[in-house]
Amino acid sequence: MTTPALRLSRSIVGQAEADAVSRVILEDGYLGMGNEVKRFEEDIAAYLGVPAQNVVTANTGTAALHLAVQAAVQPGAEVLVQSLTFVASFQAISGAGAVPVACEALPETCTIDLADAERRLTERTAAIMPVHYASNPAGLDAVYAFAHKHGLRVIEDAAHAFGCMHDGRMIGTFGDIACFSFDGIKNITSGEGGCIVTADQTVAQLCRDARLLSVANDTEKRFSGQRSWDFDVTRQGWRYHMSNIMAAIGRVQLARLPGEFAPARMRLTARYRQRLAGAPHLALLTTDPRDVVVPHIFPVRILDDKKHHVVDALQAGGIPTGMHYKPNHLLTYYGGGAQSLPVTEMLGRQLTTLPLHPGMSDADVDMVCDALLEALA
Ligand SMILES: *Cc1c(COP(=O)(O)O)cnc(C)c1O
């Protein structure tokens, strides 16, 4: 018997998710956006401890971000965002006609460097998009204080951070806007999917309408089994709504998060940290002890130009690694490196993501650590 290859990440889905999808297909028969989506939004709201009207699902996390930016900032406005993020953050901003302003990240946490962001403020700056890198909401209070001081909206790219807490509060409840991703490998999945969580009912309603081509109040009609035949449209919208099929998967996954996925992710990363503490040529990212971090990924910094050697050695041992992320300011569409962000570029040369998913065993973590420590020695 061959042991299955260790994967960097994977979806953890099974019979319960299959049963939920088959229930929608066989019992309901309505596959589009209907009551199952409404129930998923209610479940998310109950989990976060917010009113159901604060939660708007979408068909991807990127769509959620795009809807949020479109609802909260005007075209042409500037949005401060760390360059070290998935290109989805940048595309969501530029897709809404706004301008992503690439900022440095802090090397300890890979979250946004507010001192650098402050230097990039202009009279056109309208919002800041902090990215909870590796699910770490470190410094979120400071981001909100910064935004308050400069009159900015906060649109949290919380794609990694579903189920996390900062200073005793769930991410998604800090007052402005947070966007989550439920793609196949995130903390929970709905196949693809995402959601916006905001207490601002103007933003919530704009997102709710814009996910259905900005047909006014179409969500409310669909949730009560009706359709809009005679309607008006006053602004640009998109086909970004979630389907009942996706919501059925998401509801099962949400129920599995507290007792199964979150503890597994936290246990595996605690083991990584314990095994790798003090290793040469290695820096682990830090988290705030006041925070609850449910890690979506486990990136480490490999120092002293040893990354390529280490990645090759791990690969030779059958251990896949990842790279989160190529800095966005180096991408052609976002300047092609015309501007230099030295800390971010250094992090780009160092960051290496180790395998992490709730299907891994402690022995898998040990195997990765043994190989990594040997390559670093
Ligand atoms: C996954 C991710 C997104 C986008 O989510 P999708 O659901 O994949 O569209 C946005 N930002 C970050 C940092 C992500 O990791």
Side-chain angles (χ1 to χ4, degrees):
M1 216 182 85
T2 54
T3 41
L6 184 61
R7 299 255 300 267
L8 185 62
S9 189
R10 69 177 177 88
S11 308
I12 308 292
V13 285
Q15 193 61 49
E17 287 80 359
D19 288 346
V21 169
S22 110
R23 185 173 46 73
V24 167
I25 293 173
L26 300 176
E27 287 175 26
D28 189 312
Y30 185 71
L31 310 186
M33 186 172 124
N35 263 308
E36 195 70 13
V37 174
K38 179 172 192 270
R39 283 191 283 264
F40 187 32
E41 292 182 350
E42 288 165 355
D43 290 353
I44 293 167
Y47 174 78
L48 296 176
V50 299
Q53 61 186 6
N54 292 19
V55 177
V56 183
T57 52
N59 60 359
T60 65
T62 307
L65 285 165
H66 185 191
L67 292 169
V69 175
Q70 179 174 271
V73 310
Q74 297 301 315
E78 294 176 359
V79 179
L80 301 166
V81 58
Q82 61 191 77
S83 182
L84 191 74
T85 181
F86 187 38
V87 66
S89 323
F90 273 62
Q91 288 266 329
I93 296 166
S94 56
V99 181
V101 175
C103 299
E104 289 278 32
L106 299 168
E108 297 77 20
T109 53
C110 296
T111 52
I112 193 163
D113 178 345
L114 291 175
D116 180 81
E118 185 151 35
R119 288 189 285 275
R120 300 178 195 277
L121 285 165
T122 73
E123 67 281 2
R124 287 185 304 281
T125 312
I128 182 167
M129 183 183 285
V131 179
H132 304 322
Y133 185 93
S135 315
N136 187 354
L140 192 54
D141 286 327
V143 170
Y144 271 91
F146 176 92
H148 188 71
K149 178 172 164 201
H150 298 291
L152 309 178
R153 299 301 303 247
V154 180
I155 303 166
E156 298 171 45
D157 181 340
H160 295 187
F162 193 75
C164 298
M165 296 176 90
H166 178 62
D167 204 10
R169 290 164 71 188
M170 296 295 291
I171 298 305
T173 67
F174 274 74
D176 213 1
I177 307 168
C179 297
F180 296 105
S181 165
F182 306 138
D183 84 20
I185 60 167
K186 294 275 163 58
N187 284 357
I188 64 167
T189 186
S190 50
E192 297 287 349
C195 77
I196 300 136
V197 183
T198 181
D200 180 334
Q201 294 309 317
T202 305
V203 167
Q205 192 59 40
L206 283 169
C207 292
R208 219 173 263 132
D209 285 347
R211 71 177 163 179
L212 287 160
L213 300 172
S214 286
V215 171
N217 300 316
D218 201 27
T219 289
E220 292 73 2
K221 291 223 175 80
R222 284 168 188 253
F223 282 174
S224 58
Q226 298 163 22
R227 291 295 301 273
S228 310
W229 300 116
D230 181 15
F231 57 81
D232 194 20
V233 165
T234 57
R235 47 172 61 82
Q236 180 66 51
W238 315 91
R239 288 284 281 181
Y240 279 175
H241 58 284
M242 179 174 275
S243 74
N244 276 351
I245 297 256
M246 299 162 85
I249 298 172
R251 293 182 68 206
V252 173
Q253 288 267 306
L254 178 58
R256 294 176 68 180
L257 178 67
E260 187 181 349
F261 300 148
R265 288 182 177 278
M266 292 166 85
R267 187 191 82 243
L268 294 165
T269 45
R271 192 172 185 92
Y272 266 131
R273 287 183 174 282
Q274 186 198 352
R275 288 283 325 268
L276 298 176
H281 314 297
L282 188 75
L284 302 178
L285 302 182
T286 61
T287 57
D288 186 330
R290 293 175 307 162
D291 293 345
V292 174
V293 178
V294 179
H296 154 56
I297 51 174
F298 190 69
V300 298
R301 291 168 58 203
I302 296 174
L303 312 177
D304 309 320
D305 285 323
K306 290 192 179 292
K307 172 169 159 170
H308 286 294
H309 163 72
V310 168
V311 166
D312 289 349
L314 291 179
Q315 190 175 347
I319 297 166
T321 58
M323 162 57 188
H324 296 89
Y325 295 92
K326 178 168 178 178
N328 283 271
H329 71 280
L330 301 180
L331 304 177
T332 303
Y333 192 51
Y334 298 113
Q339 103 181 265
S340 128
L341 297 176
V343 177
T344 297
E345 287 160 35
M346 173 195 75
L347 291 169
R349 288 189 298 273
Q350 296 175 340
L351 286 165
T352 304
T353 302
L354 303 179
L356 179 67
H357 57 75
M360 282 172 65
S361 65
D362 290 352
D364 289 330
V365 171
D366 288 341
M367 183 182 78
V368 175
C369 291
D370 290 343
L372 176 59
L373 292 168
E374 189 185 315
L376 288 167

